[in-house]
Amino acid sequence: MRVVSLLPSATEMLYALGVEPVGVSHECDYPPEAAELPSVIETHIDASASSADINEQVIEATDNGGVYEIDRELLAELDPDIVVSQGICDVCAVDDSRIRAAVSELGLDAEVVTSDPHSLSDLLADMERLGEVCGRQDRAASLVEEFEERIERVEAATPDSGPRVGMLDWLEPPMVAGHWVPGMVERCGAEYGLADTRTPSRPREWEEIVAYDPEVLVFAPCGFGLDQTRANLNDVTDRDGYEQLTAVQEGEVYAIDGNHYVNRPGPRLIETMEVLGSVLYPDHVDAPDTDETAVTRLQRATVDT
């Protein structure tokens, strides 16, 4: 079975199921061997630019035909049986409708499977559905059982009520993380008052965030690793009222690798919940082994530099 995966989270799910794709997107880099596969997608965005510059690039690309290009010649050459696309966000990956049009116009005999999760439950359902499509039902069932047990362990270890949490998945403009993030925070027993479960991430007025006054503040910009997040912190930390936030005053400001652990609704999202639990309740929830690469605590001295 020949599978082309056009979003990183689906690529991670496929590898977890024991299915190696024949083609991927330009952002598929985990597990590391995925980065060696041919990429069917190109982007017009310089992902190494600043938060503000990337935002401007996205606006300009959207006004001029779109953020992504599909390598139709390569897609036809790969001749997939299954193409996994997404309906979550047109900025994060190529739009599902464009993939379906390309498959149709190229005359490919391929099933297009759309991944569109907005919660942990959706992620587990996606894993089961992808397992069924790829003939890996038993493996999918085993993974879902494991993930459910890990989620339940975090839920059982956390108090009934926790701090006010704010998580930003973009810095300029400030954007509050939505989709699966509110539900994950709430399942950790904490309060997430800036967005409802399953709602898309969207820009917010900085004054709204200041008024909410998070007791724990997490930076997890979409597509950014920890180093790139640190390099762009001033987009938020230089704003009026930042220093007065309770999270800042108490030293409860963190950066999580958004690219790998927050913005991808794949298997490692379970690790993200474990990381969140250990950040919010270090005396109750053990940090996963990946903690050192996934999250860093930003002390006042770090933030001020």
Side-chain angles (χ1 to χ4, degrees):
M1 179 174 293
R2 300 175 62 79
V3 184
V4 168
S5 172
L6 300 182
L7 68 160
S9 57
T11 298
E12 294 186 28
M13 280 192 274
L14 288 167
Y15 272 98
L17 290 168
V19 178
E20 182 174 337
V22 296
V24 293
S25 80
H26 64 293
E27 292 182 317
C28 295
D29 59 3
Y30 189 88
E33 52 264 36
E36 304 301 320
L37 298 173
S39 173
V40 180
I41 304 296
E42 298 176 358
T43 179
H44 299 298
I45 304 301
D46 176 9
S48 66
S50 70
S51 178
D53 285 346
I54 290 174
N55 187 65
E56 290 301 318
Q57 290 180 53
V58 169
I59 293 172
E60 182 177 351
T62 302
D63 291 340
N64 290 278
V67 175
Y68 301 102
E69 292 291 341
I70 303 168
D71 187 336
R72 294 186 173 217
E73 182 177 346
L74 176 57
L75 182 59
E77 181 182 328
L78 292 173
D79 191 23
D81 302 299
I82 298 169
V83 178
V84 186
S85 66
Q86 64 88 34
I88 307 167
C89 173
D90 293 349
V91 174
C92 298
V94 66
D95 179 69
D96 178 70
S97 62
R98 293 185 61 200
I99 294 299
R100 290 180 181 276
V103 168
S104 175
E105 291 164 10
L106 290 169
L108 299 177
D109 184 18
E111 178 181 358
V112 179
V113 179
T114 305
S115 176
D116 190 17
H118 298 275
S119 68
L120 284 176
S121 297
D122 290 348
L123 163 63
L124 301 183
D126 256 16
M127 181 69 75
E128 290 178 325
R129 184 161 60 100
L130 204 55
E132 183 175 353
V133 170
C134 294
R136 302 297 173 97
Q137 294 95 326
D138 290 346
R139 175 61 178 160
S142 176
L143 286 169
V144 168
E145 182 179 3
E146 174 197 335
F147 293 161
E148 287 176 335
E149 290 175 354
R150 289 167 63 184
I151 292 168
E152 289 170 2
R153 277 201 297 271
V154 175
E155 290 179 313
T158 58
D160 292 335
S161 61
R164 293 186 308 278
V165 177
M167 184 179 294
L168 301 183
D169 68 4
W170 201 246
L171 305 179
E172 181 55 48
M175 186 175 292
V176 172
H179 299 292
W180 43 87
V181 170
M184 289 172 61
V185 172
E186 290 166 1
R187 291 177 79 163
C188 286
E191 178 184 344
Y192 198 81
L194 288 172
D196 294 328
T197 301
R198 301 178 61 87
T199 58
S201 303
R202 67 178 181 88
R204 301 293 286 268
E205 295 295 332
W206 174 245
E207 290 73 19
E208 293 181 74
I209 299 171
V210 171
Y212 176 65
D213 190 23
E215 296 168 293
V216 177
L217 179 61
V218 180
F219 298 103
C222 186
F224 282 16
L226 292 177
D227 289 344
Q228 195 171 5
T229 298
R230 290 190 189 96
N232 285 270
L233 282 177
N234 287 348
D235 287 337
V236 174
T237 61
D238 287 348
R239 289 177 175 271
D240 292 341
Y242 175 80
E243 292 292 341
Q244 285 68 52
L245 294 176
T246 298
V248 178
Q249 294 291 319
E250 299 296 326
E252 294 295 326
V253 181
Y254 300 85
I256 295 180
D257 182 337
N259 184 37
H260 283 276
Y261 291 97
V262 179
N263 317 132
R264 298 184 184 187
R268 288 187 295 170
L269 207 56
I270 311 304
E271 292 178 52
T272 305
M273 184 167 174
E274 294 168 338
V275 167
L276 281 173
S278 67
V279 163
L280 296 173
Y281 314 104
D283 295 333
H284 297 271
V285 180
D286 293 330
D289 293 338
T290 52
D291 180 64
E292 292 184 2
T293 60
V295 61
T296 185
R297 185 169 187 158
L298 301 172
Q299 304 293 347
R300 290 288 299 280
T302 304
V303 170
D304 290 341
T305 57

